[in-house]
């Protein structure tokens, strides 16, 4: 079935044409599937018109993409969606410079659509809010982006997100990713047609908070029984029960080169200047990204509140030992484009694998 025809047909016609059992699907829609942590979800992603992968560029989101392909989901039904945590207005405070370029290279290599959303000014603007409203977000709209929100009440932060599993305290994830994604799902009309499966890459092994996440459930933006607007959106944490070994195994099967952060010995790929960074990460950041490190240090002085409850980033870096990084990968990680080959043959496990370092909980 062509994309054009899919646009014109209803959900039921499309499912029938794809050979699905409408009765079984209708009963699932009435009694939405919920799969608790530790249970196995019997999910067929091929019965969704859209599979949106929350794609950070890290190994777990890469595993989601590869898993969908191994399950036979046609590439044109998959969308990689990436949140730009620094926004697109010039802030470089938090992220790996290469991440956007890496996501683009992966999407191009696999022939899969890549879309972006972000909060204006990114985490830095939210953090330096001083009597202002939280900034608007930008979501995909046609060939460009549409601005939403920004008219909330004024408020002041003037402090870093604090290290906590509580998302109100560690507000960066909500402000730069979770809320931004919800704005996309709630406001783009394409989600009002057909079924959407959102895939996110949390794994139980990563933290005790994540180990309690459900494997499958209606997404919080789901509105399948809405009166005026209907949106059928499920969320599948498809690698929730996977071990790190299984994640690297699927990368190996597809010969995909991991994000440069893993080649610099980071064990988890997140923001480079993640608030969960440990002493060795801060020592390495000071070495490979001195400008951004000094900006973080000067914000800590300005706010008189450090990221870590007791130590400044300078004190943490002083107590850490920089990773023995390869200058080639420092240059790749500090580039705005990813010019290294996407596929490796023979495939090599990066040195950050299995190191059990720091990252969001
Ligand atoms: S990766 Fe770290 S700094 Fe970035 S949003 Fe998540 S918790 Fe915050």
């Amino acid at each position: 079935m062509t994309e054009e025809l899919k646009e014109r047909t209803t959900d039921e016609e499309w499912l029938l044409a794809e050979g699905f059992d409408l009765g079984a699907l209708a009963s699932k829609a009435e009694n939405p599937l919920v799969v608790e942590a530790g249970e196995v979800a019997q999910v067929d992603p091929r019965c969704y018109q859209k599979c949106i992968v929350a794609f950070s560029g890290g190994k777990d989101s890469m595993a989601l993409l590869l898993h969908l392909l191994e399950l036979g989901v046609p590439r044109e039904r998959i969308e990689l969606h990436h949140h730009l945590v620094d926004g697109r207005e010039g802030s470089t405070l938090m992220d790996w410079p290469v991440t956007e370029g890496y996501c683009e290279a992966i999407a191009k290599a696999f022939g899969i659509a890549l879309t972006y959303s972000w909060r204006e000014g990114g985490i830095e603007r939210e953090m330096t809010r001083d009597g202002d409203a939280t900034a608007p977000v930008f979501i995909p709209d046609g060939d460009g982006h549409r601005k939403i929100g920004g008219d909330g009440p004024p408020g002041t932060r003037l402090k870093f997100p604090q290290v906590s599993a509580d998302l109100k305290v560690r507000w960066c994830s909500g402000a730069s990713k979770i809320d931004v994604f919800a704005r996309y799902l709630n406001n783009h009309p394409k989600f009002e047609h057909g079924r959407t499966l959102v895939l996110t890459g949390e794994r139980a092994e990563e933290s005790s908070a994540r180990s309690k996440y459900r494997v499958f459930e209606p997404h919080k933006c789901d509105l399948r029984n809405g009166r005026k607007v209907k949106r059928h959106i499920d969320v599948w944490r498809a690698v929730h029960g996977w071990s790190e070994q299984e994640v690297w195994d699927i990368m190996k099967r597809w010969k995909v080169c991991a994000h440069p952060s893993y080649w610099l010995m980071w064990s988890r790929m997140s923001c480079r200047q993640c608030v969960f960074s440990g002493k060795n990460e801060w020592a390495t950041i000071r070495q490979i990204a001195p400008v951004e490190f000094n900006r973080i240090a000067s914000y800590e002085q300005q706010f008189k509140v450090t990221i870590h409850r007791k130590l400044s980033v300078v004190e943490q870096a002083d107590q850490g030992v920089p990773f023995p990084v390869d200058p080639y990968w420092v240059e790749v990680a500090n580039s705005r484009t990813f010019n290294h080959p996407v596929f490796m043959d023979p495939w090599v496990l990066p040195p950050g694998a299995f190191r059990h370092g720091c990252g969001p909980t």
Side-chain angles (χ1 to χ4, degrees):
M1 183 184 279
T2 64
E3 279 305 307
E4 193 190 357
L5 188 54
K6 271 187 221 162
E7 286 298 322
R8 283 191 278 118
T9 53
T10 64
D11 190 18
E12 287 193 355
E13 286 167 338
W14 182 84
L15 287 162
L16 266 178
E18 295 288 319
F20 287 102
D21 177 346
L22 283 187
L25 288 170
S27 91
K28 272 190 194 165
E30 274 170 30
N31 305 296
L33 181 64
V34 171
V35 180
E36 300 293 344
E39 296 175 1
V40 177
Q42 303 290 345
V43 179
D44 185 350
R46 293 170 304 169
C47 69
Y48 291 83
Q49 281 95 331
K50 292 176 279 298
C51 292
I52 314 288
V53 178
F55 191 70
S56 67
K59 65 183 185 312
D60 301 320
S61 61
M62 184 68 71
L64 294 174
L65 165 64
L66 302 177
H67 190 41
L68 284 179
L69 293 173
E70 288 190 350
L71 290 172
V73 177
R75 290 171 197 234
E76 64 273 16
R77 280 193 226 157
I78 304 175
E79 173 184 327
L80 304 177
H81 188 71
H82 181 72
H83 306 298
L84 299 163
V85 295
D86 282 327
R88 275 218 169 127
E89 292 73 33
S91 174
T92 57
L93 190 71
M94 302 302 285
D95 214 359
W96 293 91
V98 76
T99 293
E100 189 175 340
Y102 177 79
C103 293
E104 269 169 25
I106 294 290
K108 193 170 167 207
F110 281 92
I112 287 180
L114 170 67
T115 55
Y116 297 99
S117 58
W118 70 93
R119 190 173 297 281
E120 191 174 80
I123 292 173
E124 186 170 14
R125 169 159 173 194
E126 176 62 18
M127 183 176 75
T128 53
R129 206 147 65 86
D130 186 5
D132 306 313
T134 288
V137 302
F138 287 85
I139 64 165
D141 186 21
D143 292 335
H145 291 87
R146 178 158 59 102
K147 199 192 252 201
I148 295 179
D151 47 6
T156 298
R157 282 206 191 268
L158 295 180
K159 79 175 171 189
F160 276 98
Q162 302 292 292
V163 174
S164 167
D166 181 348
L167 291 175
K168 288 201 198 80
V169 181
R170 185 241 291 179
W171 49 263
C172 46
S173 303
S176 68
K177 297 175 186 173
I178 301 166
D179 297 350
V180 176
F181 198 19
R183 296 282 185 138
Y184 178 34
L185 297 173
N186 282 335
N187 287 285
H188 199 294
K190 72 181 178 184
F191 298 114
E192 293 166 22
H193 306 287
R195 292 154 192 257
T196 302
L197 183 65
V198 167
L199 293 101
T200 62
E202 302 94 343
R203 286 186 304 114
E205 224 181 51
E206 292 175 304
S207 71
S208 82
R210 290 190 175 192
S211 72
K212 298 183 184 80
Y213 288 6
R214 283 175 163 166
V215 178
F216 189 95
E217 59 187 328
H219 192 276
K220 68 174 184 174
C221 298
D222 177 78
L223 214 54
R224 72 191 67 187
N225 297 318
R227 285 206 182 140
K228 285 190 184 155
V229 177
K230 285 193 194 296
R231 269 193 305 275
H232 186 124
I233 309 179
D234 290 316
V235 58
W236 184 25
R237 300 183 178 91
V239 296
H240 189 259
W242 287 29
S243 64
E244 183 173 346
Q245 181 70 54
E246 289 173 288
V247 172
W248 290 117
D249 284 348
I250 200 168
M251 300 269 289
K252 184 178 181 183
R253 281 204 292 286
W254 287 79
K255 297 190 176 355
V256 181
C257 178
H259 184 278
S261 55
Y262 299 107
W263 295 96
L264 293 174
M265 302 191 68
W266 261 255
S267 59
R268 291 184 53 189
M269 187 261 159
S270 50
C271 299
R272 181 173 62 186
Q273 283 78 252
C274 176
V275 295
F276 286 92
S277 299
K279 292 171 181 171
N280 295 343
E281 279 88 359
W282 285 118
T284 315
I285 293 164
R286 182 163 64 182
Q287 198 175 75
I288 67 173
V291 172
E292 287 76 19
F293 179 88
N294 288 334
R295 278 181 65 71
I296 299 266
S298 81
Y299 271 130
E300 281 194 331
Q301 285 178 351
Q302 182 188 327
F303 301 154
K304 298 187 175 51
V305 182
T306 52
I307 295 173
H308 187 274
R309 298 218 184 273
K310 292 187 184 141
L311 300 173
S312 68
V313 290
V314 173
E315 288 167 326
Q316 290 200 75
D318 286 346
Q319 292 178 20
V321 179
F323 301 141
V325 291
D326 178 340
Y328 169 77
W329 283 107
V330 174
E331 196 182 324
V332 174
N334 282 339
S335 307
R336 289 266 153 210
T337 52
F338 183 75
N339 297 319
H340 186 85
V342 164
F343 299 107
M344 305 171 76
D345 198 3
W347 186 84
V348 179
L349 185 71
F354 302 109
R355 288 193 60 255
H356 304 296
C358 309
T361 52

